[in-house]
Every structure is written in C-alpha cells, then in structure tokens.
Amino acid sequence: MILKANNITKRFGQVEALSNLTFDMQKGETIAILGESGSGKTTLLRIICGLEQIDTGELIINHEVLNDNSTFLRPEKRNIGLVFQDNALFPHLNVFKNIAFGVSRKTNRFEKVSSLMAITKLTGLEKRMPHELSGGQQQRVALARALATEPELLLLDEPFSTLDHSLKNEIRTEIKEIIKTSGVSCIIVTHHIDDATSMADRIAILKNGELIQMNTSKFIFDNPVNEYVAKLFGIVNEVDGVFFRAQDLILGEGNREAIVRASYFENGLFQTTLQYKNQLMYCPHPKFLPIETNINFSIKKNLSFSVK
Amino acid sequence: MVLLIIVGIILLPLFAILIRAFDSDASTWKLISEFYLSKYIWNSIGLVIGVSGMTILMAVIPAWLIANYKFFGRKFFRLALLLPIAFPTYIMAYTYTGIFDSTGTIQQLANTLLGNDFANAIYFDFMTPFWLVLVLSFCLYPYIYAACLISFSNDSAQHLEASKMLGANSISRFFKIGLPMARPALLAGLFLVIMEVLNEYGAVQYFNFKTFTSGIFTAWENGDLTSAVRIAAVLFATAIFFLFITHILIRKSKIEKASKIPIVHEQLKKHHHVLAFLFCGLLFLFAFLIPFIQLLFWAVSTYSEVVTFDFYVVAWNTFTISILAAIVITLISFILLFAGNQIRNIGGKQLASLGILGYSIPGAIIAVGIIMPFAFIDTSLQSNWLLGSIFGLSIAYLIRFMAVSYNALDGAVQKQGSRLDEAALNMKTKPLIAMFKIHFPILKPALFIAVILVFVDIMKELPMTLILRPMNYDTLATEAYRYAETNESAMQSAPASIILILLGTIPVIFLHKLIKN
C-alpha cells in the first residue's frame, strides 16, 4: 500500500472542507479524485503534498505517518511530485533548468534530465523558456519536472483544464503512457469525468468534503450509489419514479408514448428532448425526429441507488 | 496643443541647462572641474552604491519573511516597516546626529547613569559616510520593501509551492525562485532609491559630504549660475545613466507571471521565529521609533519656545502653497492624461509620458534649470512674476511632482478601459464633455488620492524650495532645515519635523492598503 488516509478532517474557519475521509491506494495504482468546485478535492491534494495540515485524522505514505495530530512532515521532505493546474513552470528558467530544479547535484543530472526529456518528447527544447512553449509542451515539462525527483507518489491537479479540446485526448494518452512507463503511483484531481475514466484505475467521488463512492469507473457506472454519482457519468432520466441513463431509452418501440419537444445535432448525434406526461427526458438519437410528433419508447435498464 | 505646452514646460529646465551649460561665463568652473568635480562624481556614485546595497538588505529580508512566514507581529510589521518613508532624510540625519553627537542624548544618558569615563569610551564620530549611508537607507528602504512585498506576496506563490514540492529548502526557495521573480519589482524600487539619493541635499549637506547637489548649491550661492548648471548637467547625465541601466535590467528580468493564488504563510521554527521578530523589530526601532520618540521629546521641550506666531505663519504658508499647488498639478495631470489618450494612435500617450520625466530629474537640477527661463521672461516683461515668486515655485513643483499625480490617475483610468469613451462616442458626446461628465466624477477618489500624495511630497520638498522660494518665505521643510543647520541643535526643528512626518504617514496608509489587497 502506498497511501492510507484515515478519517481526515480539515476545517477552514466554520467550513468543513473535508470530513472523515478514509481511503487507501496501492503501489503503481492511478486514482482520480472527482468532484465539482468546493467538493474538497484540491484541499485533499494539498494535504497529501503537505501544503495544508489536517485538523484530525492520519495520513500515511509508504508506511510512514506524514501528518496526524502530532506529526507534520514539511512538503520539501516528502517524496511527492506535484503537477500544478497551470503547470507553475519557473518563468525565469529554461526547460532544462526547470526539469533539473529538484534533481540533486550529486546525481548525474544531465543524463537524468535528458532521459526524462526523451520520454516526454521534449528533446531539442532544452533552451526554450516556458512562455515559448505550447500548452501541451508546458504540460510535459511540468510532468518531467515532477518525475525528475523520482517521487513515490505523483499528484496531478486538474492537469488538462488549460488545454484545448483538440489537444486534450492526445496529451491525455501521452501522459497516461508516461505514468505507466515510470511505474509511479498517481493521484489525479479533476472535475471532468472523461479525464477520470480515461486515466484512472479507480475513481474517488467527493461531494461537500465527503467521499461518497470509490471504485473502478465501470463499477461506479453500473452501480452508482446515488443520483448525483449517476449524473456524473451522463444524463439520467426519471420517469414514474424510475431512473435510467439516456442511452437506455429505446425509441420507436414499447407501449408508452412521448412527444418530441426538441432535436438538434451535436457530437455526431441528434440530442433529443421528449416529454412524457409532465416529465422531460433527454437522449441522443441517430436520426432527426420532427418536433411535436409522437413516438413510442421503452427503458432497457433501470438504475437503482443504494443511497438516496 | 495643450499636450505640447505641458510637456514643453516640463522639459523647460532641461533645455535651459543644455543651452546655459555651454555659456563661457563661469567664474568658478575651472576651480570646480579641477578640484571638486571628480569628488562630486565619486562621492555621489559611492553614496548611490552604499545606499543601494544597504536598502536592498534592509528591505528584501523583512519583505520575504512577512510575505511567506507566520511570526509574532507579522501584520504589525507589514505596516510599521513602511513608516520610515514618512521621514524626510534631512530630518532623520539631524535627529540621529542629535542622538549620537558629543552633547547628544546617548552621551548625556551615559554621563548621568555611568559616568564621564564610560561616556567617553563609547563616544564615536557619527558624521562619517558610513552613518550617512545608514541614515539615508533608513528613510529609503521602504521603496524597495513595498515593491518586493507586493511581488513576493502575489507573483511567486505558486512557484514557491512548486519548488517546495521539488524539495527546495527555504534558503534555496529565496535565492532560486523568490528573488529572481521579484527582480523587476526590486529594480523598480531601487531606481526610486537611486533617484532620491541623487536628489538628496539636506542630509549630505548636514554631514558635509560633497555630492552633486551640494556642488550645485555652493556654485549657486557663490553667484556662479553657469557652474551650477554645468554640475546639474553632469548630475543629469548620471541620473540618465542609472535610469538606462535599471531600465535595461528591468527589461531583461521581466518574466511571465503565474496566475495569482493566495500565499500560504508557513509557521517558522522557534529560533527562526525569534530571529524574524528581532530583525523586523530592530529595523522598525532604529528606522522609525527611536528617531520619532526623540523628535517628540524635543518637540515637547521646545514647544513653547518655537511654536510662536511666526511658526503658525510658516505652517499656514506651507499648507496653502502645498494644497493649492497639489490641486493644480493634479488637474493638469488629468488634462495631460486625457489629452494623451485622445491622440493615442499618433503617439499621444508617449508624448504625455514625457511630461512625467520630471520625477527622474533631481530637484536641484530643476531649480537651477528653471532660473534662466524665469529670469528671461521676468526681464522681458519687466516683472517679477516668476523668479522668487510663489507662482514660479509652483511651476517647479509641477515639473517635479507631475508624475506622482499622473501615475495615480493613470492606474485608475487603465482600470476603466476604453469602453466608457466608446459608449460616450456612440452617444455622440464630444471627448472634452466626456472627460468632465464621465471620467471626472468617476475618478474623484483617484483625484483625491493624487492631490494628497502630491501635497505630502511638496510639504517635504527641500532643495527646490530653498533655491526658488521668495525672500523671507519659509515652509516647514526649510524651517526644520534652517533650525537644524544654523542652531547646531536639532531640538528647535522638532515641532516642524513632527508635522511633516505625521503628514508623511498618509501615503503610507494608501500604500499599505495596496499591499493588503
């Protein structure tokens, strides 16, 4: 086990940012902490790397207590790499010096940095200043810099939020490969479900400072604990007290009849709004459906929640 | 046209200096250039280097500690360490001299408490260049402190966190991240310090340390205006040299700043905590508290002797000329700013910024530079409207302090953006009407601040006032200086000094608000 969090609580004044958070992660595993703004995910990340202290509870990394009521190991003493949301590259240092910043002078810095630059496809950009790099290149420098200290644990804070949509998929794949190749354990903090599902072995969902579900993405998709978690993975409709995903709404068959209220083209499909009794349902559909026409529907699979 | 007239007035002393410097009628120039000029140059440069080094040391360390760490009194020191900026340098100089000289407070206390032998044993000569550097640094370090504190608190927070995560200890974070990232701010503050040192007259004269300004005064007092102008020309070249060097260094060190995140103050270890408190505490003690208490003590003991009807007249003179000149200067800056903005696409803004060059010209240069055109106009019109008049003195203040109000207003105008002008144009409002109906009311708070800042600067101004004031006309600054210089005792100057210092704390409040935000 690389990390264990036991009943971690953190308050800022009257606000409880994290309450009784408990989870663990295995060596080499990648975990995504998923939650909306104010859910406490950034606070958790800052606690893990030592930029904030916990009020109660215990944080153990590699069998060593880093933070509890009586212990606090300063961030520079922890062997944790952090990639900041906007990369925080040192603006006065070039690419090589940025990556070499945390590497001990006693080691063979040049070889180490060169090899990391090769892995992160940055070779040839050694002398460039951060502002001369593209968004994707900056991201890779930040990752190489964090990996250069050979951390036991790597933390990525909203790593793709500053990238264009077109770049995102490419960079995500590259970074996932680099992380897997290096074998480092990794925690990604994000509020994008696609970042979490594409990068992580397990996803931890935070809401209002509480961990509400933690498991593989497939498990959570199939067995969300509540409506909030279910909706993180896409549209959830409700008809007569039954919840189901948009893709489980089958149009053109079944004995119930709905009226088409809207249909527009987006992401390769027609996003369709239907009305059944007083309830609206949403689903993607391959064909345009004329507005105000009636259409039959059935529900392929219901969703059931263990927690209301 | 308005723009050209204002800029013309600001540049007038420089043109006059250029013309007069080549005049052959310079009775003492040969003597000055052979025996004194190199002394003026090396003393001035030495003073600049000494004060620069000392102010950087005094400013950067507390700014770093206050921006990054939690320790007892941190919030108090954040404000308190700005206070010495309220001390005019000449007042600091004669206060400390009054404390340390052979009949000063320290000697009297030592004599009374521990006897004559002990008093003799601890006596040292205070009137040396080292103590001059220290005294000037006490008053001037807040320029760098404020700039660095803002930079440390805002610009490098995330990078410091990143370096912590990469294992950098606090010393390495300071040298590798904090300091390089704050370099532009530090250099900007340092530039102001250098300009203040070159502009310095009262303290150097008091210490009998010969610099450019004392040379200008000596030549002028001997009636040799051409020599005074030539020394002013060399001083101006030195000022331009430093301006050029700092400008290049700032440009070279300008870096892209990260998004601003609030800095998390780190708890210091116990012995570091004590050291941080001691450093800030001692700096505050020596740079403000001790001289201020000494002045208060003197003010109380000389109050009945000094604060007579004449003192009230001087205070009233100072207040009226300062407030009237400050209002006029602020209004002219307002007009300059908008005139420049109106013709922005044909270089109006650049032309307007020439109008604020005066702040980089030492007061003594402006004073001797302006004498010649004033004398010419007065002779031509057979009047005495300019030379040795309140009006003439106010024009000199305008040249020197326009930058203060211009920058205060420019910041507020930049925040507004150009949308208001565009909206006004869209409603077919003429630019002049828009200036008074839209911008003037919105900018009232900024105009008020600008008036206050200029007012305080004029109150404290010494070299220009000494040269250009009307006969038998004193301000609190000249009064304080006159007492300190002629009576060989600083005690009588204390009431005037206390008023100047208390007024000088007003800009400190604005500065502190800026830092807090």
Side-chain angles (χ1 to χ4, degrees):
Chain A
M1 195 181 301
I2 182 81
L3 179 143
K4 187 160 178 58
N6 278 335
N7 294 313
I8 287 179
T9 298
K10 174 73 186 172
R11 285 181 202 88
F12 293 108
Q14 298 295 311
V15 181
E16 196 163 79
L18 292 175
S19 54
N20 286 317
L21 211 70
T22 298
F23 70 95
D24 53 40
M25 73 182 282
Q26 301 303 316
K27 208 166 186 169
E29 191 180 20
T30 297
I31 281 182
I33 311 280
L34 183 69
E36 55 201 20
S37 297
S39 61
K41 57 188 192 302
T42 301
T43 305
L44 174 62
L45 181 121
R46 291 175 68 82
I47 283 173
I48 294 172
C49 57
L51 296 170
E52 299 283 355
Q53 290 193 44
I54 58 177
D55 292 326
T56 56
E58 186 183 49
L59 178 74
I60 301 167
I61 292 181
N62 224 359
H63 309 293
E64 185 189 0
V65 178
L66 300 191
N67 194 183
D68 63 8
N69 288 344
S70 56
T71 317
F72 175 68
L73 193 69
R74 298 162 83 95
E76 60 268 31
K77 308 273 180 203
R78 300 181 183 196
N79 193 12
I80 294 174
L82 171 62
V83 176
F84 287 81
Q85 186 169 358
D86 56 3
N87 301 317
L89 297 181
F90 304 131
H92 57 297
L93 302 181
N94 64 26
V95 169
F96 186 91
K97 286 180 179 166
N98 256 287
I99 297 173
F101 188 91
V103 183
S104 163
R105 288 183 186 275
K106 289 170 194 161
T107 60
N108 193 339
R109 291 172 99 202
F110 184 79
E111 264 181 29
K112 194 169 190 178
V113 174
S114 301
S115 119
L116 270 167
M117 290 191 70
I119 293 171
T120 49
K121 297 179 188 163
L122 290 165
T123 308
L125 303 177
E126 289 83 351
K127 297 243 183 290
R128 293 260 188 102
M129 297 306 281
H131 68 272
E132 295 169 331
L133 302 174
S134 69
Q137 287 168 335
Q138 288 185 6
Q139 191 104 49
R140 292 203 294 268
V141 176
L143 186 65
R145 185 178 69 175
L147 289 172
T149 55
E150 295 177 12
E152 291 169 323
L153 181 61
L154 179 69
L155 308 176
L156 307 180
D157 185 9
E158 301 276 6
F160 312 111
S161 60
T162 55
L163 295 180
D164 290 343
H165 191 72
S166 55
L167 253 182
K168 217 172 162 180
N169 281 340
E170 189 187 326
I171 301 288
R172 219 157 41 192
T173 314
E174 279 180 13
I175 287 183
K176 188 176 179 182
E177 260 179 43
I178 296 166
I179 291 169
K180 286 292 163 201
T181 313
S182 66
V184 68
S185 311
C186 180
I187 294 180
I188 298 165
V189 161
T190 181
H191 63 271
H192 291 293
I193 184 70
D194 44 351
D195 291 347
T197 53
S198 63
M199 300 282 294
D201 302 316
R202 284 192 299 155
I203 299 173
I205 295 162
L206 284 189
K207 192 184 179 200
N208 298 331
E210 286 180 38
L211 178 63
I212 50 177
Q213 191 168 14
M214 185 170 182
N215 216 308
T216 61
S217 54
K218 182 168 182 345
F219 183 88
I220 298 175
F221 182 83
D222 292 336
N223 307 285
V225 289
N226 59 19
E227 190 182 345
Y228 173 79
V229 173
K231 281 183 174 174
L232 289 173
F233 286 80
I235 297 164
V236 173
N237 293 310
E238 184 189 355
V239 166
D240 296 336
V242 171
F243 291 90
F244 56 95
R245 294 200 180 279
Q247 54 269 43
D248 291 329
L249 179 68
I250 311 297
L251 297 181
E253 61 181 61
N255 48 15
R256 282 183 277 192
E257 199 174 70
I259 306 165
V260 179
R261 289 296 184 204
S263 179
Y264 60 93
F265 192 73
E266 190 184 84
N267 293 339
L269 290 166
F270 288 91
Q271 306 301 323
T272 309
T273 306
L274 302 140
Q275 186 181 347
Y276 174 68
K277 295 180 183 170
N278 287 328
Q279 288 157 321
L280 291 177
M281 303 180 291
Y282 307 91
C283 71
H285 194 67
K287 286 181 192 166
F288 174 77
L289 298 175
I291 314 294
E292 303 302 327
T293 54
N294 291 345
I295 188 162
N296 286 11
F297 72 92
S298 65
I299 297 162
K300 197 166 99 184
K301 189 180 163 193
N302 292 354
L303 277 173
S304 59
F305 306 129
S306 52
V307 179
K308 278 290 169 193
Chain B
M1 189 63 190
V2 176
L3 199 64
L4 282 174
I5 293 171
I6 298 172
V7 173
I9 292 173
I10 305 288
L11 298 177
L12 193 62
L14 291 183
F15 288 130
I17 282 173
L18 277 177
I19 295 165
R20 185 67 182 256
F22 296 103
D23 197 328
S24 58
D25 177 26
S27 52
T28 55
W29 178 247
K30 196 168 167 8
L31 185 76
I32 291 170
S33 60
E34 271 181 30
F35 297 103
Y36 295 109
L37 192 60
S38 63
K39 192 173 190 178
Y40 295 153
I41 293 174
W42 291 118
N43 276 0
S44 298
I45 289 177
L47 197 61
V48 163
I49 292 170
V51 174
S52 300
M54 192 65 88
T55 46
I56 288 173
L57 204 67
M58 283 180 182
V60 174
I61 296 171
W64 174 256
L65 292 171
I66 289 168
N68 287 285
Y69 299 101
K70 279 183 202 163
F71 59 93
F72 180 72
R74 188 185 76 85
K75 282 187 182 167
F76 168 75
F77 288 129
R78 188 173 63 193
L79 168 70
L81 292 181
L82 289 169
L83 287 173
I85 209 171
F87 254 94
T89 48
Y90 50 92
I91 294 178
M92 184 73 89
Y94 67 68
T95 307
Y96 262 111
T97 311
I99 293 173
F100 284 112
D101 71 9
S102 55
T103 55
T105 312
I106 296 283
Q107 282 295 305
Q108 281 178 24
L109 275 176
N111 218 340
T112 315
L113 298 175
L114 298 155
N116 196 25
D117 289 343
F118 180 78
N120 285 339
I122 61 161
Y123 178 73
F124 64 94
D125 183 12
F126 183 73
M127 307 296 271
T128 60
F130 171 76
W131 292 105
L132 173 63
V133 165
L134 203 67
V135 159
L136 290 180
S137 302
F138 281 154
C139 301
L140 300 178
Y141 84 84
Y143 287 109
I144 301 176
Y145 164 75
C148 286
L149 187 56
I150 293 172
S151 176
F152 288 147
S153 306
N154 295 327
D155 299 334
S156 51
Q158 195 163 33
H159 297 99
L160 289 171
E161 287 192 350
S163 64
K164 260 187 215 175
M165 296 310 304
L166 293 165
N169 60 25
S170 50
I171 293 172
S172 161
R173 287 202 295 274
F174 172 70
F175 283 109
K176 286 185 172 175
I177 306 297
L179 205 52
M181 289 198 66
R183 207 182 300 155
L186 191 152
L187 287 168
L190 184 63
F191 173 68
L192 291 177
V193 169
I194 292 172
M195 286 301 127
E196 288 293 331
V197 174
L198 291 178
N199 185 44
E200 175 51 42
Y201 172 66
V204 291
Q205 187 69 3
Y206 200 73
F207 272 73
N208 198 21
F209 190 74
K210 299 293 177 200
T211 61
F212 286 121
T213 39
S214 45
I216 292 171
F217 269 82
T218 311
W220 174 70
E221 279 165 1
N222 290 335
D224 184 1
L225 187 61
T226 307
S227 293
V229 163
R230 284 183 187 172
I231 302 170
V234 183
L235 169 57
F236 185 63
T238 314
I240 291 290
F241 168 76
F242 282 115
L243 174 73
F244 183 69
I245 295 283
T246 41
H247 184 70
I248 286 188
L249 288 174
I250 289 173
R251 268 187 67 178
K252 266 184 126 178
S253 57
K254 246 191 182 147
I255 42 180
E256 297 281 316
K257 300 284 166 66
S259 58
K260 287 178 181 172
I261 61 158
I263 206 156
V264 179
H265 297 103
E266 206 179 301
Q267 191 72 48
L268 281 170
K269 285 178 194 162
K270 215 167 191 178
H271 56 289
H272 289 162
H273 194 115
V274 175
L275 284 177
F277 177 78
L278 274 180
F279 190 96
C280 296
L282 288 174
L283 185 58
F284 175 63
L285 197 69
F286 286 107
F288 189 79
L289 205 58
I290 289 177
F292 189 72
I293 288 174
Q294 176 69 87
L295 277 174
L296 265 184
F297 182 74
W298 285 338
V300 170
S301 59
T302 59
Y303 177 82
S304 54
E305 186 189 330
V306 178
V307 183
T308 58
F309 178 72
D310 286 348
F311 183 85
Y312 287 117
V313 170
V314 170
W316 175 247
N317 283 346
T318 315
F319 178 78
T320 45
I321 190 173
S322 303
I323 196 73
L324 288 175
I327 291 170
V328 172
I329 290 169
T330 305
L331 286 176
I332 293 175
S333 323
F334 179 72
I335 294 166
L336 180 76
L337 185 63
F338 278 92
N341 278 345
Q342 285 310 315
I343 50 165
R344 196 178 307 150
N345 21 356
I346 53 164
K349 192 85 183 155
Q350 285 78 2
L351 189 62
S353 61
L354 278 180
I356 59 171
L357 255 185
Y359 203 67
S360 356
I361 309 173
I365 298 183
I366 294 173
V368 296
I370 217 164
I371 287 176
M372 293 161 286
F374 278 9
F376 176 76
I377 294 168
D378 274 351
T379 315
S380 308
L381 299 175
Q382 291 186 325
S383 69
N384 50 2
W385 291 346
L386 294 172
L387 205 55
S389 73
I390 300 284
F391 181 59
L393 183 58
S394 303
I395 291 179
Y397 289 149
L398 167 77
I399 296 169
R400 175 99 173 104
F401 298 122
M402 176 90 106
V404 177
S405 50
Y406 183 93
N407 287 336
L409 295 177
D410 194 27
V413 169
Q414 296 225 351
K415 269 188 201 160
Q416 286 180 10
S418 56
R419 285 176 304 119
L420 294 178
D421 285 318
E422 286 160 9
L425 267 179
N426 187 250
M427 287 179 265
K428 300 188 175 31
T429 309
K430 285 183 177 159
L432 195 66
I433 307 286
M435 179 172 101
F436 283 105
K437 278 195 162 176
I438 298 168
H439 294 289
F440 195 80
I442 294 175
L443 287 175
K444 265 183 194 162
L447 285 161
F448 175 73
I449 291 172
V451 168
I452 295 287
L453 293 177
V454 177
F455 169 75
V456 172
D457 267 345
I458 294 176
M459 295 271 289
K460 287 158 63 180
E461 210 291 324
L462 186 65
M464 285 194 314
T465 316
L466 278 176
I467 294 178
L468 295 171
R469 69 196 159 135
M471 286 282 279
N472 299 323
Y473 181 90
D474 268 312
T475 63
L476 287 170
T478 59
E479 179 89 340
Y481 179 71
R482 185 171 60 86
Y483 267 122
E485 202 193 24
T486 55
N487 292 9
E488 290 179 358
S489 162
M491 292 176 77
Q492 280 89 346
S493 65
S497 304
I498 289 285
I499 295 175
L500 289 177
I501 292 163
L502 290 178
L503 284 166
T505 56
I506 297 172
V508 172
I509 295 163
F510 293 123
L511 197 57
H512 184 245
K513 215 173 160 189
L514 184 77
I515 289 169
K516 258 177 78 181
N517 292 340

